[in-house]
Amino acid sequence: MQWLSGHADLVVIVAYLAAMLWIGWRVTDGSRDVEGFTVGNRQMRGWVVGVSVLGTFLSSITFLGVPARVYKDGTWNSFAFGMGLPVAAVAAVWFFIPLYRSRVSLSAYELLEQRFGYWARGYAAASFVVLQLIRVAMVLLLVALAVEPLLHWGVVATLSILGLVVIAYDVMGGIKAVIWTDVVQVVVLSGGALWCLVALVQARPGGAAQFWADVPAGSLSLGQWSSWDLRQPTFLVIFLYGITENLRNYGTDQNYVQRMLCTPTTREAAKSIWIGALSYLPISVIFCAIGTALFVFYRVPVAHPLAPGESPGARAALPAGTPPDQVFPYFMKHELSPVARGIVVAGILAAAMSTVDSCLNSLSMVLLVDGVRRLGRRPNGQRKPWPPEIVTLRLFTAGFGLAGAGLAAFIYLRHGTASQTLMELWWQYAGVAGSGFFGLFLLAWLFPRLPSWAAAMSVVLSIPVLVWGMLARPEVPRPEWGLDNCPLHPNLVGIAGFTVLLAIATLVQAAVWAGIIPPNDRR
């Protein structure tokens, strides 16, 4: 009993991981073919899929990255990103869901082949694979960096254990395991986040009333509202990025398109989108509040003398030079009881796993459907492929899981922790890596008669803009445009890329409408 009381956090974590494996085993019977493994035989309930959509949004980048950014900046600027979700949800419900449920079987990228040919499908699928591998690595690395000081397993060992558990239940249960574990994970991570917020507020001498009195003026703002400076992370910059990135998620990300196909009806699919989008906002408030509470706890001096026996609260010292990503884990290690720490660490793991499992399932499906199956088409009547496709799917899932964990370990061993928060780094990667195929989808949606060669030319000519936007970053930013200076905030580089792509395609489309260039006859 003494050992259990001293290692209560470890017991909670092991119990949580065992529960995830049990759920994966429990739904194995429904995942014995490609339809069951990838879309749950299209029989999943809308509310269940909606909670899973929310779980995919809530990665460890949210659980740890949002508080870190709020703590670093002292504002709720990152909440502006989530405010773009309802706008994207409207587009998903009115346009994306009917389009994909009527035009594709499993992969969103089938639509691009219908419009422009296989090159577009292959390009988008390859871009998706690269982007999602980076995402898996970033999520795993962030959670490993966060829990290693609490568990003392080592960063690489934590990556390995977490990756193997996700691979195991994902391989066993497919999308059904992903969705049902996501439901549990959303409950665990939400409970863990609330627990931390309450603990932070109560730890402040004087309780909740004194805590709110000590919140600095302007800490709850969403950033600069009146500024049009596109070099800074103002409200406008983050809000625009939120709209475009969430449109890309709903419109081009196989993780979300796949869930639109998991329900039996369009109405159930729409319900899932709204549940995921609207639930994200209050949970995002909790994570922003945690960042503010950490700021108050560690950086705002106590305003009144301590009473006898009163906790020192904000007078607890934070080691000098602690990166923003490590402040929240430091609080958990030093201020929470073992049981509470175990619950919160389980919440952090849940946040990571709810994203990674979705990515692995979608990655394996894209590689099979858009790669192996499409390139290996056989005339009707020939023997079935060997090994069976369901075996191939499971092998791909395991392979991508190992690759993501390996990439995370490589980033850690090569670079260690970054000076900027990992959430900011991910936002930059996502905006740039996803720009090209999001722009390609825009062409497929807006200009279905655009010639295939024009779509390809637009994509190619947008690439120099992306490269310039990421590399033309002098140590001292300047407001003017130049070959060696991009005056845009890094989050807007992707928007600049597909704006150029869209402009080129519009000129060609005008020539098509004028009869100068023959139209694309694909449907």
Side-chain angles (χ1 to χ4, degrees), residues 80-205:
F81 175 85
M83 293 175 67
L85 256 176
V87 178
V90 171
V93 169
W94 286 98
F95 182 69
F96 298 142
I97 291 177
L99 176 68
Y100 287 123
R101 289 181 67 90
S102 64
R103 295 300 299 263
V104 306
S105 59
L106 289 174
S107 169
Y109 311 123
E110 296 171 42
L111 178 68
L112 293 179
E113 182 174 14
Q114 296 168 15
R115 294 286 199 253
F116 301 127
Y118 181 72
W119 73 266
R121 179 177 182 177
Y123 168 78
S127 298
F128 174 78
V129 168
V130 172
L131 181 61
Q132 294 306 307
L133 276 178
I134 294 173
R135 186 183 190 189
V136 168
M138 297 293 280
V139 168
L140 289 176
L141 178 56
L142 183 54
V143 73
L145 289 171
V147 303
E148 194 280 330
L150 307 176
L151 302 178
H152 303 292
W153 291 350
V155 172
V156 176
T158 303
L159 287 170
S160 302
I161 293 171
L162 184 59
L164 289 175
V165 171
V166 175
I167 289 171
Y169 74 72
D170 212 338
V171 167
M172 286 189 291
I175 194 66
K176 288 187 176 180
V178 169
I179 289 176
W180 281 109
T181 54
D182 282 355
V183 172
V184 177
Q185 288 158 356
V186 166
V187 173
V188 172
L189 69 90
S190 301
L194 274 173
W195 193 310
C196 276
L197 180 58
V198 171
L200 275 161
V201 172
Q202 289 182 341
R204 185 71 173 176

Side-chain angles (χ1 to χ4, degrees), residues 76 101 289 317 337 421 518:
W76 285 28
R101 289 181 67 90
S337 66
T421 66

Side-chain angles (χ1 to χ4, degrees), residues 74-439:
T75 69
W76 285 28
N77 179 245
S78 57
F79 184 73
F81 175 85
M83 293 175 67
L85 256 176
V87 178
V90 171
V93 169
W94 286 98
F95 182 69
F96 298 142
I97 291 177
L99 176 68
Y100 287 123
R101 289 181 67 90
S102 64
R103 295 300 299 263
V104 306
S105 59
L106 289 174
S107 169
Y109 311 123
E110 296 171 42
L111 178 68
L112 293 179
E113 182 174 14
Q114 296 168 15
R115 294 286 199 253
F116 301 127
Y118 181 72
W119 73 266
R121 179 177 182 177
Y123 168 78
S127 298
F128 174 78
V129 168
V130 172
L131 181 61
Q132 294 306 307
L133 276 178
I134 294 173
R135 186 183 190 189
V136 168
M138 297 293 280
V139 168
L140 289 176
L141 178 56
L142 183 54
V143 73
L145 289 171
V147 303
E148 194 280 330
L150 307 176
L151 302 178
H152 303 292
W153 291 350
V155 172
V156 176
T158 303
L159 287 170
S160 302
I161 293 171
L162 184 59
L164 289 175
V165 171
V166 175
I167 289 171
Y169 74 72
D170 212 338
V171 167
M172 286 189 291
I175 194 66
K176 288 187 176 180
V178 169
I179 289 176
W180 281 109
T181 54
D182 282 355
V183 172
V184 177
Q185 288 158 356
V186 166
V187 173
V188 172
L189 69 90
S190 301
L194 274 173
W195 193 310
C196 276
L197 180 58
V198 171
L200 275 161
V201 172
Q202 289 182 341
R204 185 71 173 176
Q210 186 60 44
F211 167 81
W212 289 112
D214 291 340
V215 172
S219 294
L220 305 184
S221 73
L222 300 178
Q224 302 178 51
W225 284 80
S226 59
S227 175
W228 289 86
D229 187 354
L230 299 183
R231 296 170 297 167
Q232 304 299 323
T234 61
F235 170 82
L236 178 63
V237 167
I238 302 303
F239 181 65
L240 287 175
Y241 176 74
I243 292 177
T244 55
E245 188 65 10
N246 288 311
L247 281 173
R248 185 189 65 78
N249 285 337
Y250 282 137
T252 68
D253 191 327
Q254 184 62 31
N255 289 302
Y256 299 92
V257 174
Q258 201 165 334
R259 282 163 174 73
M260 297 176 190
L261 304 177
C262 285
T263 59
T265 65
T266 298
R267 183 175 181 179
E268 287 292 296
K271 181 193 298 184
S272 71
I273 293 298
W274 280 119
I275 288 174
L278 298 181
S279 299
Y280 179 84
L281 294 176
I283 295 180
S284 183
V285 168
I286 295 174
F287 288 115
C288 287
I290 290 174
T292 298
L294 289 169
F295 185 93
V296 171
F297 190 87
Y298 286 115
R299 297 172 67 175
V300 177
V302 177
H304 65 284
L306 296 177
E310 191 174 14
S311 169
R315 295 184 182 177
L318 182 70
T322 302
D325 286 324
Q326 295 298 307
V327 174
F328 194 10
Y330 183 86
F331 170 83
M332 289 184 278
K333 179 178 180 179
H334 294 279
E335 305 293 339
L336 296 180
S337 66
V339 173
R341 187 162 57 244
I343 293 173
V344 175
V345 171
I348 297 173
L349 297 179
M353 296 164 76
S354 64
T355 297
V356 172
D357 57 13
S358 301
C359 292
L360 298 186
N361 188 270
S362 296
L363 281 167
S364 62
M365 196 220 66
V366 165
L367 186 56
L368 174 71
V369 174
D370 297 304
V372 174
R373 180 188 286 183
R374 172 60 181 79
L375 296 176
R377 281 180 179 171
R378 296 172 178 174
N380 292 333
Q382 287 196 3
R383 65 180 179 84
K384 294 181 178 180
W386 182 259
E389 288 186 337
I390 186 61
V391 175
T392 303
L393 273 174
R394 297 187 197 278
L395 290 175
F396 284 165
T397 301
F400 278 123
L402 294 174
L407 179 58
F410 172 79
I411 294 173
Y412 171 73
L413 295 174
R414 182 75 180 268
H415 301 289
T417 56
S419 58
Q420 60 186 157
T421 66
L422 287 178
M423 186 183 77
E424 293 173 317
L425 197 59
W426 162 248
W427 278 6
Q428 293 177 24
Y429 280 155
V432 173
S435 172
F437 73 99
F438 179 42

Side-chain angles (χ1 to χ4, degrees), residues 1-12 150 337-339 341:
M1 293 299 294
Q2 184 176 2
W3 185 91
L4 287 177
S5 62
H7 296 81
D9 52 350
L10 184 60
V11 172
V12 172
L150 307 176
S337 66
V339 173
R341 187 162 57 244

